[in-house]
Amino acid sequence: MGLLENKVAFITGAARGQGRSHAVRLAKEGADIIALDICSQDVKTIKYDLATRADLDETVRLVEGLGGRIVAGVGDVRELAQVQKVVDEGLEAFGHIDIVCANAGVGSGAVSWEVTEENWREVIDINLTGVFNTTRATLPSMIERGQGGSIIMTSSTAGIIAYPNTAAYSASKHGVIGLMKVLAQDLGPHNIRVNAVCPTNVNTRMIMNQALFDQFAPHIENPGVDEVRGAFASLNALPDLPWIESNDVSEAVLWLSSDNAKFITGISLPVDAGNTVKKGY
């Protein structure tokens, strides 16, 4: 019997990367999955391709291949009504939600005085307002059911420390931790735990893209993976580790979702190969 038998998990940004990994890992432990992703390129200031409907369909295929049940819907976390629609479809199919992974997010970097108004709004609206909308759409049914639950928000090491050229991103991820701390107190009486995971660089499209490689190796024309590996690895305390994998974060999400963490609430859990401790945190 899996750790999450008879549980239902709602996951945003589930079409690929960390979100897909979380969906598959939780499904392996018996959870039914409600998956949401924007499946659109309509985020104008982000310099890498976002997930597609084909990506979301692949998440469905992987979960169903494990014998799991999944409801998948397209929605933009910036719009509460769109999130609520997918949540309601999941509630109609499964009857309840026990676990919420507010994972959808985007990455963006620029020197602070060159961040455009549009870029600031897109990053804050997706990474922070999107997390609030995810909780706002799911919490009423969880509270009414009275069976507790677990909410896991995806922050970042950039929610704990500051990196240059990440004004919008770091502000959004610090905001996620602030929201988490408030909700942990608001929801404690309802036995709903609220925590954040704070990964270091993860091997997903958010990191593995030319725009970010150019920032990490500005002295090289069109740097590739080999040219930036050392710069990424220098951020972490563990040796020769430029980035972790999505499944490394999924293991932390699984733990926080399960009764093995039944007394854990209000924490920011670094999954960071010593990135933050190397900076003195």
Side-chain angles (χ1 to χ4, degrees):
M1 184 173 181
L3 289 173
L4 303 179
E5 293 292 335
N6 302 315
K7 303 291 187 182
V8 179
F10 175 55
I11 303 171
T12 65
R16 70 181 190 202
Q18 293 183 56
R20 175 190 287 172
S21 179
H22 300 345
V24 170
R25 187 67 184 94
L26 300 190
K28 283 182 180 178
E29 294 294 334
D32 295 322
I33 305 298
I34 307 167
L36 175 148
D37 208 291
I38 190 172
C39 299
S40 168
Q41 305 304 312
D42 189 26
V43 185
K44 298 180 178 61
T45 66
I46 302 306
K47 297 179 180 179
Y48 56 90
D49 291 340
L50 301 182
T52 65
R53 181 69 211 211
D55 292 321
L56 185 59
D57 290 343
E58 176 64 8
T59 298
V60 172
R61 188 190 70 80
L62 291 169
V63 169
E64 291 181 341
L66 296 168
R69 299 190 299 171
I70 181 169
V71 169
V74 174
D76 186 337
V77 294
R78 293 173 290 183
E79 300 293 337
L80 177 58
Q82 294 186 29
V83 180
Q84 191 70 64
K85 181 177 182 294
V86 177
V87 167
D88 290 345
E89 290 171 355
L91 288 171
E92 183 176 354
F94 301 133
H96 58 94
I97 292 172
D98 306 279
I99 300 158
V100 176
C101 297
N103 167 78
V106 293
S108 178
V111 66
S112 57
W113 56 89
E114 294 180 359
V115 175
T116 65
E117 181 180 15
E118 183 178 25
N119 179 242
W120 176 269
R121 286 181 173 173
E122 285 190 333
V123 173
I124 297 295
D125 284 354
I126 293 170
N127 290 3
L128 180 54
T129 303
V131 171
F132 171 77
N133 286 342
T134 300
T135 61
R136 183 64 184 83
T138 51
L139 284 173
S141 68
M142 295 174 73
I143 291 170
E144 182 179 4
R145 184 168 177 247
Q147 298 296 310
S150 177
I151 295 173
I152 303 101
M153 302 175 173
T154 301
S155 182
S156 167
T157 53
I160 299 173
I161 60 179
Y163 299 99
N165 303 322
T166 64
Y169 184 76
S170 289
S172 70
K173 294 303 187 177
H174 274 73
V176 167
I177 290 178
L179 177 61
M180 176 273 292
K181 290 180 177 180
V182 171
L183 289 181
Q185 296 178 75
D186 287 350
L187 296 170
H190 301 283
N191 201 32
I192 298 173
R193 300 180 293 105
V194 189
N195 296 288
V197 288
C198 300
T200 185
N201 295 306
V202 183
N203 184 12
T204 67
R205 196 71 58 84
M206 184 186 292
I207 295 298
M208 309 301 282
N209 66 80
Q210 193 62 55
L212 191 58
F213 287 1
D214 289 343
Q215 289 188 28
F216 268 71
H219 58 293
I220 300 174
E221 184 176 358
N222 297 320
V225 172
D226 290 340
E227 285 77 30
V228 300
R229 187 182 300 274
F232 277 101
S234 70
L235 298 174
N236 299 324
L238 297 182
D240 304 320
L241 187 69
W243 37 73
I244 63 175
E245 300 297 328
S246 292
N247 63 285
D248 297 315
V249 186
S250 297
E251 293 299 327
V253 168
L254 171 61
W255 178 65
L256 290 171
S257 300
S258 75
D259 286 343
N260 289 338
K262 62 185 176 182
F263 298 129
I264 307 299
T265 193
I267 71 163
S268 305
L269 178 62
V271 186
D272 71 346
N275 184 305
T276 51
V277 75
K278 189 172 181 179
K279 302 297 189 297
Y281 287 82

